[in-house]
Amino acid sequence: MQLTDLTAVSLLDGYRKGEFSPVEATEQALERARRIQPEVNAFVRLTEEDARARARESQERWRRGEPAGLVDGVPVTVKDILLLRGHPTLRGSTTISEQGSWDEDAPSVARLREHGAVFLGKTTTPEFGWKGVTDSPLSGITRNPHDHSRTAGGSSGGSAAAVALGAGPLSLGTDGGGSIRIPAAFCGIFGLKPTYGRVPLYPASAFGTLSHVGPMTRDAADAALLLDVVGAPDARDWSGLPAAPGSFTQGLKGGVHGLRVAYSPSLGGQVAVQPAVAAAVRRAVAALADLGAFVEETDPDFSDPVEAFHTLWFSGAARLTQCFSPHRRRLLDPGLREICVQGARYSALDYLAAVDVRMDLGRRMGRFHERYDLLVTPTLPVTAFEAGLEAPRGSAHRRWTGWTPFTYPFNLTQQPAATVPVGTDGDGLPVGMQIVAARHRDDLVLRAAHALYEADVASAPAVGAARAPGV
């Protein structure tokens, strides 16, 4: 049996029944990670010794019938933005030294440790997670599992590729403007940006309250399980939410019957969507209606907030590198250097004007969700493009935000938003559909996504063996 093909829920069921062990699952996941690394480049480092030790400890707990928590023995990967105790967190940058004690876990990692997870390694990110594709001065280019000439997306590209190829069913990503949803859509997996504060974040992001931590998984049930683990308060995050009122896993039941769904194919004509993407999303929307949802084609009332997003995002980048010496600045990704220069030019009044745009957008979406439970859109207007580029060749836009207009608005509003794989284009590249709900209604996003998986509308596209050696 290929345990790398199983979800976390299925692995746990097998442990419970004694059909296989955490040691077997971990060894297969590590072997898969080693085999995909040369061509896909999903990992900054594997933590094999620690993984094996934790797997042995988990196996003994399962033997005694005393699992430590909800994900005991499940192989997990962690984006190299988040702290993992005992291992450097270099954030895709050659400006950070590996020296140091590295003696602290990020809150989400700490919760996984408490629940018995097995950490396989740290996954790749662009430098400081600044853009929507994954390449960096530290680790080079991360490639798409479905076509190695294409990007995996970003900034959580290593996590998306690892999950898609079976190197652990669960991964922690971060999302400041689409960084979970973009690579999840390009790689054909499920990704959730929860309501801001649902998963505590420490150290605080330089990009402020745009940045979220969330699950990247094979399906919605695994994401709900992971959110049940990591969505617990942590005193180090002063902006974190209190514990959720119930289990996200239990909340998966009920389907979409009776939910009011707004379908916006292009945000009111503001976005040019590739025909194959539009067709796949439209089919999934029709399936929601067949499952009993009340679907209406309509658009939220807002214009593209990209300039406000740029002001906040570029200012955060400038602040992040403010104290860098000229030598350290020369080591940065050239695109990151550019936005740092631009961000340093903004005034406090510019920043506050962007906050005003953000607050008005939040108000508009709050009113919108008085009428609709869910908003669905394409996750992205394109499928994965050439690796090593920030934007598709021939694009009118230089920056990554030019091709991600469906994602960053919901970082501004802090709403829960997920991507679900709903088909492929003519080249076999995955297409994602985005599901958005009002703040604090992560349960509705997960419930709708789970209904699509249960109906076989959502599914991870198969990765061709020729494109992923050893898989």
Side-chain angles (χ1 to χ4, degrees), residues 368-422:
F368 183 84
H369 284 291
E370 289 181 331
R371 301 191 303 277
Y372 300 101
D373 299 301
L374 299 171
L375 167 67
V376 296
T377 73
T379 306
L380 298 163
V382 298
T383 51
F385 52 87
E386 184 180 344
L389 302 178
E390 185 182 340
R393 196 175 295 279
S395 171
H397 305 278
R398 290 188 65 241
R399 297 274 79 100
W400 62 273
T401 46
W403 51 272
T404 61
F406 293 109
T407 59
Y408 55 76
F410 305 109
N411 292 82
L412 290 166
T413 61
Q414 303 186 338
Q415 295 171 246
T419 183
V420 181
V422 292

Side-chain angles (χ1 to χ4, degrees), residues 5-24:
D5 294 335
L6 300 183
T7 64
V9 170
S10 296
L11 284 177
L12 290 163
D13 186 55
Y15 299 163
R16 194 174 296 112
K17 294 175 179 176
E19 295 173 346
F20 43 78
S21 74
V23 168
E24 293 172 286

Side-chain angles (χ1 to χ4, degrees), residues 246-284:
S247 162
F248 291 105
T249 298
Q250 291 301 314
L252 293 173
K253 301 172 183 176
V256 297
H257 185 81
L259 292 182
R260 301 162 298 168
V261 177
Y263 166 45
S264 178
S266 62
L267 295 179
Q270 296 182 77
V271 185
V273 179
Q274 287 179 353
V277 172
V281 172
R282 189 173 288 277
R283 287 193 294 270

Side-chain angles (χ1 to χ4, degrees), residues 150-164:
R150 312 290 184 110
T151 179
S155 61
S156 306
S159 287
V163 171

Side-chain angles (χ1 to χ4, degrees), residues 45-58:
R45 66 179 44 79
L46 293 174
T47 55
E48 297 191 46
E49 185 177 335
D50 286 357
R52 291 190 174 99
R54 289 186 63 80
R56 289 192 296 270
E57 292 166 0
S58 174

Side-chain angles (χ1 to χ4, degrees), residues 143-335:
R143 299 180 180 276
N144 194 292
H146 299 269
D147 183 340
H148 297 161
S149 72
R150 312 290 184 110
T151 179
S155 61
S156 306
S159 287
V163 171
L165 289 168
L170 305 179
S171 192
L172 288 176
T174 65
D175 189 316
S179 288
I180 285 172
R181 290 159 289 156
I182 294 165
F186 276 180
C187 294
I189 67 166
F190 183 79
L192 171 67
K193 177 189 76 68
T195 299
Y196 178 80
R198 172 49 54 215
V199 182
L201 178 61
Y202 169 85
S205 171
F207 300 107
T209 58
L210 294 171
S211 295
H212 304 56
V213 179
M216 302 182 73
T217 59
R218 303 285 286 274
D219 61 18
D222 269 11
L225 172 67
L226 184 50
L227 193 57
D228 278 338
V229 172
V230 301
D234 190 289
R236 294 172 291 175
D237 184 352
W238 64 269
S239 63
L241 296 173
S247 162
F248 291 105
T249 298
Q250 291 301 314
L252 293 173
K253 301 172 183 176
V256 297
H257 185 81
L259 292 182
R260 301 162 298 168
V261 177
Y263 166 45
S264 178
S266 62
L267 295 179
Q270 296 182 77
V271 185
V273 179
Q274 287 179 353
V277 172
V281 172
R282 189 173 288 277
R283 287 193 294 270
V285 170
L288 286 172
D290 291 342
L291 292 170
F294 297 112
V295 177
E296 179 182 347
E297 186 168 326
T298 189
D299 303 301
D301 175 29
F302 65 80
S303 57
D304 188 355
V306 68
E307 292 306 323
F309 180 82
H310 281 170
T311 300
L312 300 173
W313 193 254
F314 297 175
S315 296
R319 174 60 177 163
L320 176 67
T321 59
Q322 183 178 23
C323 297
F324 278 26
S325 67
H327 171 68
R328 286 184 80 195
R329 286 182 181 275
R330 285 193 294 272
L331 297 175
L332 293 173
D333 180 324

